[in-house]
Amino acid sequence: MTTRPVHGRRFAVGGLVTVLDLGKPGHVRIPYYVRGATGEVVQYCGTYLNPEDLAIGHTSGPAIDLYRVAFDQRALWPDESHPPRDRLIIEIYDHWLAPAAPQPAEPKTESPA
Amino acid sequence: MSASHDHDHDHRHDDHEALVVEDDAGNLEGQIVIDALQSVLIARGLLTAPEVTREIQKLESPGIHLGARIVAKAWTDPDYKARLLENGKSAIEEIGIPVGEAQIVVVENTPTVHNLITCTLCSCYPRSILGQPPSWYISKAYRARTVREPRKVLAEFGTALAEDVDLIVHDSNADMRYLVLPEPPQDTGDRTPADLEPLVTRDRLIGVTR
């Protein structure tokens, strides 16, 4: 699994990332259930204004990278029973992500459209 | 559902979100606030009643029929399907449907993959295509359970998903909006898009049914 940033992007499709818990109040778009979880970047979505700024009327802030990140459901919800290949995909803004070390035994071949 | 509101106000009202809040006379709390606000804005000359009506029409004119057109086109035109999966927004606009969202991500159901759409944080939904979401889509139960126990939710919609069909749940938490491309019927080859459109339901476009 390679992580090759493209055009200054921090993360490439296929790269492993961990969602940070920035502890920010207000209109953040990162739900608690993915904070701290490690997943795989499956799509780069482009740049968007930060909803945390937009919510308080700052409409001229810098646009930031947005990624779709896939998580194994079993890792997100260890108390529930999920078949091993069930996944959840969610959008995460760049500043909520940190690179994660490659993990063994992660056979991922398909990447959703 | 009629939630009585004659309790003493010792809690904050944003602690809960009722979908429909009526008082004993049947008034919708939200409607009263909106009527008052609208009267003030019209009185001040900031908007007119026809403008409000026009905006409501704009909100209500999209609907499942647009989703059905997109899917039936994709079922009968492989090149269109490829473009739709590559860039949902441009492919949808290509057939004359205006898209208000930043991007539409079209996710394809196959014999081995099923996709389910939710928005855990609020009610994000491809509104410019499908119109307003059903009330259950906005409910806290749907939003919480579709990520935690999605197969149980599907079962309650009558969708028994085999264990060997992979389930992908899409949480539309940010700027993307999602549309499911359901599996076509077996005999698509001899059928026209108009013939196929009735097979496309709202629930299939969200992925609660297959």
Side-chain angles (χ1 to χ4, degrees):
Chain A
M1 185 166 297
T2 58
T3 304
R4 276 196 311 276
V6 181
H7 302 312
R9 283 176 221 153
R10 284 207 299 152
F11 307 107
V13 169
L16 291 179
V17 288
T18 298
V19 181
L20 301 171
D21 186 351
L22 299 179
K24 289 184 165 187
H27 189 74
V28 300
R29 303 306 296 169
I30 311 302
Y32 280 84
Y33 74 86
V34 290
R35 298 185 190 182
T38 294
E40 176 192 347
V41 174
V42 293
Q43 188 182 356
Y44 171 68
C45 303
T47 59
Y48 297 87
L49 291 174
N50 188 344
E52 298 150 27
D53 293 335
L54 289 175
I56 51 172
H58 295 169
T59 55
S60 58
I64 48 180
D65 288 331
L66 181 67
Y67 299 90
R68 291 175 68 218
V69 182
F71 299 89
D72 288 345
Q73 283 280 37
R74 287 185 166 183
L76 290 179
W77 311 104
D79 296 341
E80 301 287 338
S81 82
H82 292 275
R85 290 194 310 273
D86 279 9
R87 299 209 286 173
L88 178 131
I89 302 180
I90 186 168
E91 300 149 47
I92 309 287
Y93 295 95
D94 180 86
H95 60 293
W96 284 84
L97 291 172
Q103 294 169 340
E106 281 250 331
K108 288 288 156 44
T109 50
E110 81 177 279
S111 80
Chain B
M1 181 171 70
S2 172
S4 174
H5 261 67
D6 57 355
H7 50 40
D8 52 1
H9 282 69
D10 58 358
H11 67 266
R12 291 167 50 209
H13 259 234
D14 55 6
D15 284 349
H16 62 87
E17 53 164 9
L19 287 172
V20 177
V21 182
E22 295 174 337
D23 65 15
D24 292 337
N27 294 311
L28 297 176
E29 194 176 276
Q31 190 63 50
I32 296 167
V33 173
I34 287 164
D35 287 347
L37 179 62
Q38 188 174 326
S39 308
V40 170
L41 293 173
I42 289 172
R44 295 225 171 167
L46 293 170
L47 52 79
T48 65
E51 280 173 337
V52 174
T53 305
R54 205 155 54 233
E55 286 303 312
I56 291 172
Q57 279 168 351
K58 206 188 291 177
L59 278 174
E60 290 182 344
S61 63
I64 314 310
H65 61 288
L66 297 181
R69 258 181 63 201
I70 296 161
V71 168
K73 170 88 172 153
W75 280 349
T76 52
D77 182 343
D79 292 340
Y80 181 76
K81 177 181 156 185
R83 292 197 297 281
L84 184 68
L85 294 173
E86 172 67 27
N87 185 329
K89 180 170 176 157
S90 67
I92 291 165
E93 289 181 330
E94 181 190 315
I95 58 171
I97 298 170
V99 177
E101 289 83 4
Q103 184 54 272
I104 302 289
V105 177
V106 179
V107 289
E108 182 184 16
N109 283 352
T110 71
T112 55
V113 174
H114 182 78
N115 293 281
L116 174 66
I117 312 301
T118 189
C119 172
T120 56
L121 291 175
C122 48
S123 58
C124 294
Y125 189 75
R127 288 166 197 259
S128 69
I129 302 165
L130 299 184
Q132 303 309 301
S135 58
W136 49 258
Y137 183 88
I138 306 170
S139 71
K140 280 187 172 168
Y142 181 82
R143 289 157 45 194
R145 295 184 58 221
T146 42
V147 291
R148 180 188 284 273
E149 47 180 31
R151 284 175 182 260
K152 287 182 191 161
V153 174
L154 288 178
E156 290 167 23
F157 277 92
T159 306
L161 204 61
E163 286 267 318
D164 58 358
V165 175
D166 299 344
L167 174 60
I168 305 175
V169 176
H170 303 269
D171 186 349
S172 29
N173 61 314
D175 290 280
M176 305 293 104
R177 298 293 177 268
Y178 299 86
L179 197 64
V180 174
L181 175 60
E183 275 191 90
Q186 298 292 338
D187 56 348
T188 310
D190 350 324
R191 298 172 71 171
T192 64
D195 198 19
L196 293 166
E197 282 175 21
L199 302 177
V200 184
T201 62
R202 178 197 64 203
D203 288 359
R204 296 185 78 189
L205 292 163
I206 307 172
V208 292
T209 60
R210 196 153 158 74

